[in-house]
Amino acid sequence: MALLALDTSTDWASVALYDGRAVLAEETWRAQRRHGDELFPAIERLLSSARVGLAAVDRVAVATGPGSFTGLRVAIAAAQGIARGAGASLVGVSTLDVLAYPHAPSKQRTCPLLPAGRTDWYAAFYQERNRRWLRRSPYVVATLPELCRQIGTHTLFVGELDEEAEATLRDLLGPKALFAPPASRMRRAGFLAELGWRALEAEPQTRLDEVEPIYVKQPRIGRSFDQPFAPPPADDVALGLPRRS
Amino acid sequence: MRILGIETSCDETAAAVVDDGRRIVSNVVASQLAHQDTGGIVPEVAAREHLRALDAITQQALRDAATDLRGVDAIAATVGPGLVGCLLVGANYARGLALASGLPFVGVNHLEGHVYANWLYEGDLAPREPEIPAVVLIVSGAHSDLVLMEGHRRFRLLGRTVDDAAGEAFDKVARLLGLGFPGGPYVERAAREGDPDAYPLPRATVADRYDFSFSGLKTAVLRLVRSLEEKGRVPVADVAASFQKAITEMLAEKTARAAAEHAVDTVLLGGGVAANGPLREEIARRIGHPLRVPPPRLCTDNGAMIGAAAFFVLRHRGTEIPTAVRGDLRLA
Ligand SMILES: [Zn+2]
């Protein structure tokens, strides 16, 4: 039994193989616009380095964004094909959820950022509450000043922020802006695999065509988002760390 | 050899099962309706629709063929030319299917698909294969290519459009006349009631003898319609018929001339515009014998033509089989 995780949400791409306990192999690379050509060779390298045949893959997890629309569809289409061909179950996990997840132990409010074109960024806010790590906002697209207007307390920024974005956030938020070290801000499919595995344990199979990109473009952040963390998603939608029952 | 063919280069989501490059076992085509309101294809909308529909369409094609992936020998998908975002959906889905089921993946040139649509048949009786060499005219909303087919998978480009594709000209004229999208079938229907000699329209002359240009004709129709509007009523049927006659003659004249110059008997057609009745008649009249043309639903984009072309790719592979998506892929 193994789970194959695929993520081509942005210029960065990542694939991983996971067996429910450990990441067996992982590859993260800068694909830019070449996801379509590079994804399958990467999957084949992954399987051979982990010495796992596709016959062992019975679960597939794919990052569903928000991110580059075309990029997202590359991995989702591939994941649908692999799941269909292998008879595996498929789950979609938000790219922002994947970015925030490794920072749960920090207990900081965490805000992953991904470029959304021009001066826009995709973002969401995550925070532990009642010992559960939850997404506390909708997925939004906003400029950094619009986003910072919603931020009152210390916030840990992760994701694909360049130096300029980091400087802007420091200007806007001063000491409230915290930054994870660059390498730990990145997205790795190993985390996607963990989240995907858990989601499939909780709810085994969805229809393949229900796994769709999260196309966040409108509405922009603003009047509809005038309280810092309202409206939070319902708990069953929000991302949870293992549901300790 | 049984091949599953997948096509998502433009606005049809399609999958089919084809035996030995010729016999259609199943053929499922879903035309996206989302573009009718915009009167043209919005690439992002098309790509979204493909992703939503493709898995179900593919399952339907396998079910219609009373088979599953174990009963298939190879999986093919269009890798170009076309809208890159759309091609990526079909190609990656098909590669995923192929990888997971241990089958070879064959990337197919969409234009070769239109050529090999001429090899397809349904039912038990196989008609004779088209004879090669042949002159091939591929005309659709995306391409207008005149090609000499010297042998299987050996193509020489004779000419292509220097501006709009033939199908685009139909679309634009249809929009001008307040007809529907895609324009081809609407213009053809409207033209039936009209007089093709009602308005003289220019036939473009292009420096390169086999190249096409349709923008002059399009502008002439625009000017004609504006001047008719000033006078009052636009006789839609007459304008449609006059336009159709002009574009049909431009296409048929060069196609027939290419066949004569290369001493070729066979003329093959492909692409949505090839479904146009008067175009077929005009070409047949000029080459002096009847054409064998695929039925309209095999002229427009479909998965069967991709399954057919993939068979000939595997049989006549000269080079490595392409897997990478290329929006601007050419036939020759
Ligand atoms: Zn076509």
Side-chain angles (χ1 to χ4, degrees), chain A residues 54 69 73 84 212 215, chain B residues 44 48 52 55 59 96 99:
Chain A
L54 245 171
F69 295 163
R73 283 189 291 261
R84 178 61 71 190
E212 277 210 22
Y215 296 115
Chain B
E44 174 62 23
R48 290 183 184 194
R52 218 166 277 147
D55 180 59
Q59 293 311 301
L99 177 73

Side-chain angles (χ1 to χ4, degrees), chain A residues 91-108:
Chain A
V91 65
V93 178
S94 159
T95 311
L96 293 172
D97 292 2
V98 174
L99 268 171
Y101 169 64
H103 303 282
S106 77
K107 302 203 185 278
Q108 297 285 355

Side-chain angles (χ1 to χ4, degrees), chain B residues 170-171 173-183 186-188 190-191 236 240:
Chain B
F170 273 97
D171 290 343
V173 168
R175 199 179 320 155
L176 209 52
L177 296 175
L179 305 170
F181 175 86
Y186 287 97
V187 169
E188 186 177 352
V236 169

Side-chain angles (χ1 to χ4, degrees), chain B residues 7 9 110-111 114 138 140 142-143 271-272 299-301 305:
Chain B
E7 156 62 35
S9 69
H110 180 82
L111 297 168
H114 279 306
I138 302 170
S140 73
H143 2 267
C299 287
T300 50
D301 294 349
M305 72 185 204

Side-chain angles (χ1 to χ4, degrees), chain B residues 10 38 73 102 108-109 118 127 129 133 137 158 164 232 234 255 257 274:
Chain B
C10 195
T38 42
D73 302 302
V108 170
N109 181 320
N118 289 273
E129 290 189 35
L137 176 68
L158 299 176
D164 295 345
V234 178
T255 307
R257 185 145 51 81

Side-chain angles (χ1 to χ4, degrees), chain B residues 198-216:
Chain B
Y199 305 102
L201 289 165
R203 278 44 163 178
T205 48
V206 181
D208 206 336
R209 293 179 318 137
Y210 287 121
D211 279 348
F212 301 108
S213 167
F214 302 113
S215 74

Side-chain angles (χ1 to χ4, degrees), chain B residues 230-246:
Chain B
E230 273 167 33
K231 287 181 208 144
R233 205 180 56 86
V234 178
V236 169
D238 286 346
V239 175
S242 302
F243 160 76
Q244 183 174 258
K245 185 182 182 194

